[in-house]
Amino acid sequence: MLQHFSYKPMFENTQLPGWTFSFFFKSVRYTGEYLPDGTIKWLGETPPEEENIKKMIHELMTFHVYD
């Protein structure tokens, strides 16, 4: 489970899509970019169980951003 998930727009002009996000997984902090096409670009270390984590991030972003 992801803990302390947070995100913010990459650009001040909120009409330009793209977000940066961060979260903790197994007590390790991970950061990345969520691009408009749903692509996730990791900034730093790639988390274990990457595919499962990507699914969780997609669900959270869909709920928070596209709702």
Side-chain angles (χ1 to χ4, degrees), residues 27-50:
S27 300
V28 178
R29 184 173 188 264
Y30 297 96
T31 60
E33 296 176 345
Y34 190 86
L35 304 177
D37 65 357
T39 302
I40 293 174
K41 179 180 170 187
W42 299 108
L43 303 176
E45 192 175 333
T46 301
E49 304 175 39
E50 180 182 15

Side-chain angles (χ1 to χ4, degrees), residues 12-60:
E12 287 185 31
N13 177 356
T14 57
Q15 292 183 8
L16 293 174
W19 301 267
T20 58
F21 63 85
S22 65
F23 62 90
F24 284 86
F25 181 72
K26 296 185 178 179
S27 300
V28 178
R29 184 173 188 264
Y30 297 96
T31 60
E33 296 176 345
Y34 190 86
L35 304 177
D37 65 357
T39 302
I40 293 174
K41 179 180 170 187
W42 299 108
L43 303 176
E45 192 175 333
T46 301
E49 304 175 39
E50 180 182 15
E51 290 307 311
N52 289 333
I53 289 178
K54 282 184 175 182
K55 289 177 188 176
M56 288 185 250
I57 292 170
H58 286 303
E59 288 177 15
L60 287 165

